[in-house]
Amino acid sequence: MDTPEARYDRLIDRVSALYEEGLQPLALDLMADVDPELGPWSAELAHLRACLLGSIGEAAEALGVLQEASDAGAWWEESILTEDDDLADLQALPGFQKLVALSRDRRITVEDPPLVARPRDGGGVRGVVVALHGAGQRASHAMRDWAGVLELGFALVGVESSRLMSPMYRTWPDKEAAERDLGRALEQLPEELRGLPLIAAGFSAGGRVALDWALTGRPEPAAGVVVLAPALRELPAEAQGPLSPASIVIGTDDELLEVVDEAGERLSEFGLSIERVPGLTHEFPADFAARLTTLFSGVSRARGA
């Protein structure tokens, strides 16, 4: 189904690709006539336009784009405005600090319930895969990307971060907030899924949180972990008992590969294997659903084998 969310995702992917190629004018042309149904993402689209303009030296025009969106009610977490290199030249312009202050006053936190899907065959449930979305995504993205586990007999739970960086943009900026979000989601699991093995899963920023959860056992122990392209930061000093599965999947062309490789020795000590997918950038492999069969092969059925 071609939903507004899907159209927004496609637009962002196309604009981001043009940006990476240094084709900002073409990206701006692409954003000149945005689908009206993408209105819920107006703040995110304004920020992207401002970054494109800022990256080609159009600081005053970039600030104007943000101010127009702000006048319509948009807001952004302060660091998005003050720490983005593309917006650095805006900070000395009149009106920028007022924009930051307005955004700070409007910032909100939203605690949404987890999304839950059960295996389609109606048989026994092997475990619960708790999937965490990447930065800028929602729990619905995680449910889409990890849906293959349903065919393997796992229930799937999509957890949404409570930390909004703009009206629609969510990510996982700190461990404490992520742990609270996870704990709240696990407390809301349907009764029939409680007590089953929990498998931590996630992509990018969500992959980092999932890995940290699995290694620390907080907010409650996980039986295993599978993450894709985790945006690693500091790893725990030590890890809880053995995890199964215990896999990291990342592309050889992913910008985060260097960070993962630098932590490779520690990750191996924690029992994690790293699978490098040739030619893959920062995204899911096209054959990810098929790969899940191998990644989750070591998990035995908890019920109805």
Side-chain angles (χ1 to χ4, degrees):
M1 183 178 179
D2 191 26
T3 63
E5 182 176 68
R7 294 197 292 277
Y8 170 78
D9 289 341
R10 287 199 300 271
L11 175 61
I12 294 301
D13 288 344
R14 292 169 65 190
V15 169
S16 298
L18 290 170
Y19 175 92
E20 292 297 327
E21 294 175 25
L23 301 174
Q24 288 92 328
L26 291 180
L28 287 164
D29 288 344
L30 193 61
M31 300 187 72
D33 187 21
V34 175
D35 184 342
E37 290 194 358
L38 302 190
W41 292 271
S42 59
E44 291 74 24
L45 292 171
H47 180 263
L48 182 53
R49 284 183 60 206
C51 286
L52 290 168
L53 290 164
S55 70
I56 57 175
E58 301 289 345
E61 188 173 351
L63 180 57
V65 168
L66 293 174
Q67 288 174 324
E68 181 179 357
S70 177
D71 290 343
W75 59 271
W76 305 269
E77 199 276 336
E78 184 171 349
S79 64
I80 286 183
L81 298 173
T82 61
E83 297 178 13
D84 194 311
D85 291 342
D86 290 333
L87 303 181
D89 291 342
L90 279 64
Q91 297 192 39
L93 298 179
F96 181 79
Q97 295 305 323
K98 179 180 178 181
L99 177 73
V100 172
L102 281 172
S103 286
R104 189 186 302 121
D105 291 342
R106 291 172 177 167
R107 183 178 174 184
I108 61 173
T109 296
V110 179
E111 297 179 353
D112 291 321
L115 303 180
V116 179
R118 296 164 177 80
R120 298 184 181 93
D121 61 9
V125 181
R126 298 172 65 180
V128 181
V129 175
V130 182
L132 310 182
H133 60 80
Q137 296 183 331
R138 304 291 296 270
S140 58
H141 291 91
M143 298 297 282
R144 175 199 67 194
D145 295 331
W146 295 88
V149 302
L150 298 171
E151 305 299 332
L152 304 178
F154 293 90
L156 177 61
V157 174
V159 180
E160 201 150 79
S161 170
S162 64
R163 294 293 300 275
L164 277 73
M165 309 297 278
S166 60
M168 296 290 282
Y169 189 106
R170 300 183 184 225
T171 189
W172 308 89
D174 60 77
K175 292 183 179 181
E176 292 76 14
E179 188 175 321
R180 288 194 298 271
D181 289 340
L182 273 168
R184 185 171 53 253
L186 295 177
E187 289 174 357
Q188 296 179 57
L189 285 181
E191 185 63 33
E192 71 272 16
L193 300 182
R194 297 176 184 272
L196 294 174
L198 298 174
I199 310 298
F203 169 67
S204 195
R208 175 185 68 244
V209 174
L211 184 59
D212 190 70
W213 166 28
L215 293 176
T216 63
R218 299 192 303 268
E220 63 178 84
V225 60
V226 175
V227 296
L228 183 71
L232 296 182
R233 293 177 183 169
E234 183 179 357
L235 291 171
E238 55 185 26
Q240 67 159 353
L243 298 167
S244 179
S247 300
I248 295 173
V249 180
I250 189 166
T252 57
D253 291 347
D254 193 315
E255 60 186 9
L256 296 179
L257 179 61
E258 182 178 357
V259 176
V260 171
D261 281 344
E262 287 176 353
E265 185 175 347
R266 290 282 309 285
L267 293 169
S268 296
E269 291 173 356
F270 290 153
L272 288 147
S273 63
I274 302 174
E275 179 183 356
R276 298 168 180 82
V277 182
L280 183 69
T281 56
H282 194 62
E283 59 187 345
F284 281 75
D287 62 346
F288 188 64
R291 289 175 180 270
L292 289 171
T293 301
T294 300
L295 291 168
F296 285 83
S297 61
V299 182
S300 60
R301 284 191 175 272
R303 296 179 185 171

